[in-house]
Amino acid sequence: MISDFRSSGCPDVFDADLCIVGGGPAGLTIARELAGSAWRVLLLEGGGLQGEHDSQALNAAVSVGPQAFDAAISRLRALGGATRIWGGGCIPMSSLELARREWLPGSGWPLGWDALAPYYARANHVCGVESDAFEDGSYQPPPATPRQPAASLESRVCRMSPQDFGQLHLPMLQSSPNVHLVLHANLMQLQATGDARAVRRAVIGGTDGRRGHVDARCFVLAAGGIENARLLLLSDDVVAQGLGNLHDMVGRCFMDHPRCNVGSFHGGQVERLAGWCRRPLDRGLATHQLSLSGTAQHAGRLLNARFWPFAVERASPGLRSLRQLRASLRTVATDAGNAVEQAMLDGLARDLPVQRSAPSEAAGQLALRAVRHAPGITMAGVRKLAGRPVVPADRVEMVGYFEQAPDRASRITLSDRRDALGLRKAQVDWRLNQQDLDNIRATSLLVGRDVAAEYGCRFEPAAWLREPDQPPPVQATAHHMGTTRMSDAPADGVVDRQCRVHGIDNLYVAGSSVFPTGGWSFPTLTITALAIRLADELRLRMPELTMLGML
């Protein structure tokens, strides 16, 4: 069943066994797992079925840290969340990423790789990944995989998911007798019992001023790495510092995967290097990911990283004209939802060395120029038929994506500024500490040296890498992690290994905010695996919570 809180026919008071806050991959996966059960599941989504300007405005935050951070373009308030616009990358985390590393303070998940592996197998199905052949930190490579890319690197195989989680789960939401989705219903506060040992009610609101509430036996926050922390901090009616925050850990250790250009490679076998990013695997459903090897991490006491080579092509005038002609003939949808989501995509792609061919001439002129340079186009076709890149690479620009150390100083707090609901906005203080800065520099130089040696080419470091005192010009990657981190000891985190908030019997958190460390792995597969694991936990606990009479 689907309702819209903006509609006059939608109630403003709800009663449920389980209330899930957030219709992204975590919340939808839990609802999917519990569809058809005996429990009444209420799923609250603050946005609509696609991006909307007024809902998206609620994601705006105040950036106060040394690293500029735009929270509005890095998360989407709509059914499906970021999976409406994601790249689809799925890869299991490695045992090293989960392990305690003596050189990385705060590292070490309470869960090991063996504990997550069964849930990765189930998450593959949810994500639409066509292969169950995965291993520690990678999917199994296809036959005849090329040799090691460089001394400090190893190839981890990433599978591509085709799923928009919102569209995928829409039929279930429409037909399930026990799952009720309410759109445009924004959580404003969780109200606790007098002793703060349980949550009794969720207060909800819409941008039109309407207010309501949900009474439930159990609550799950699945609103994203920034919003989960914000909502706990806003829930201060009983505990002044916010729910789950007795040890001042809510919002701390905020991490992303900082990225930046590390330099370019010229000459030698640069075409073979370019092939790593252009070679399709398994019908284009998988890609190589150049990852810093475990040996290199141990030897250099380094954090993990991945590197993506962007081939800068040496396209002929005719092929450029043909590409521009094709772009000029495309029709582009311009509805409001697409506009919101396209703005996010453009923001996230900022500073990436992607070649764009914007049509600057009339279609007729482009067609004539393409005909004039027909021999070059023919040669490109011959290369394609031979299984070679259509256009040779002029050089390769290398972009690094780096693991960030968990640091209490990098955090989410509440600003004094308020949003359209009257709630205090999130304040983002994104920081890279000295270990992060040293790691990015050392890793970039190491990989640049080893790749150049392997491919017999020349590495030209980026300007910041040539100046010892210049910090890397990093951008965020919209992988928000760590703000409700998982820990066995309440003083070290916010949730336990079952993702239940320490000290609160019926409140859980789902999503990458529970990650103690982020490695470099794309987070969605692990988010999905942990959501399935949490759904299993809820199946066991719901009868107990019912007998406790949380209402």
Side-chain angles (χ1 to χ4, degrees), residues 4 61 120 130 132 137 149 154 216-217 228 317 373 433 452 472 475 488 533:
D4 193 323
Y120 278 135
E130 291 190 3
D132 290 326
E154 60 189 5
R217 293 179 173 86
N228 282 345
H373 295 280
N433 63 23
Q475 299 286 335
D488 283 331
R533 183 174 181 272

Side-chain angles (χ1 to χ4, degrees), residues 258-281:
R259 72 164 196 258
C260 64
N261 192 306
V262 304
S264 57
F265 297 88
H266 305 258
Q269 300 180 55
V270 72
E271 183 70 26
R272 185 164 68 90
L273 172 59
W276 277 95
C277 62
R278 299 193 294 194
R279 181 184 296 108
L281 298 177

Side-chain angles (χ1 to χ4, degrees), residues 303-483:
L303 281 63
N304 210 343
R306 73 179 175 99
F307 292 85
W308 188 253
F310 286 84
V312 180
E313 297 175 342
R314 196 163 58 244
S316 68
L319 189 57
R320 283 198 301 269
S321 300
L322 185 63
R323 288 175 170 175
Q324 290 174 350
L325 175 62
R326 184 173 57 187
S328 71
L329 297 177
R330 291 188 183 126
T331 57
V332 179
T334 57
D335 62 84
N338 283 334
V340 169
E341 293 164 20
Q342 187 59 52
M344 289 186 62
L345 287 168
D346 291 343
L348 292 172
R350 186 186 305 134
D351 293 341
L352 289 179
V354 179
Q355 297 188 121
R356 296 177 175 85
S357 298
S360 57
E361 301 177 62
Q365 293 175 306
L366 292 169
L368 286 173
R369 190 139 50 86
V371 170
R372 191 180 311 129
H373 295 280
I377 296 175
T378 301
M379 287 303 299
V382 171
R383 290 172 64 91
K384 184 173 183 178
L385 289 173
R388 299 163 60 197
V390 172
V391 181
D394 179 64
R395 67 184 186 279
V396 166
E397 299 279 348
M398 189 77 85
V399 174
Y401 297 77
F402 302 92
E403 180 178 15
Q404 182 178 351
D407 186 342
R408 287 172 54 93
S410 183
R411 64 185 302 197
I412 306 297
T413 56
L414 296 178
S415 167
D416 290 333
R417 302 182 194 176
R418 296 183 181 267
D419 63 16
L421 295 169
L423 301 176
R424 295 172 68 185
K425 294 183 176 183
Q427 181 167 278
V428 183
D429 188 352
W430 186 35
R431 294 175 176 267
L432 303 183
N433 63 23
Q434 193 60 48
Q435 182 177 18
D436 293 319
L437 299 174
D438 292 344
N439 173 75
I440 291 172
R441 180 172 293 276
T443 303
S444 299
L445 289 170
L446 173 66
V447 170
R449 181 199 70 192
D450 286 357
V451 168
E454 174 66 28
Y455 293 89
C457 53
R458 175 174 56 85
F459 175 55
E460 183 177 317
W464 68 269
L465 202 50
R466 297 194 297 268
E467 300 293 335
D469 298 327
Q470 186 173 341
V474 300
Q475 299 286 335
T477 309
H479 297 163
H480 308 148
M481 302 170 286
T483 56

Side-chain angles (χ1 to χ4, degrees), residues 21 26 109 220-232 249-255 406 412 479-487 492-496 499 501 508-518 523 526-527 530:
V21 180
W109 287 47
V220 176
L221 286 182
I226 295 174
E227 202 70 6
N228 282 345
R230 180 194 182 213
L231 293 171
L232 288 172
M249 286 300 296
V250 171
R252 291 193 181 273
C253 300
F254 174 61
M255 300 173 289
I412 306 297
H479 297 163
H480 308 148
M481 302 170 286
T483 56
T484 63
R485 66 197 318 260
M486 185 190 301
S487 67
D492 297 331
V494 177
V495 303
D496 63 18
C499 294
V501 175
Y508 292 81
V509 181
S512 53
S513 66
V514 307
F515 291 13
T517 53
T526 302
I527 289 172
L530 288 175

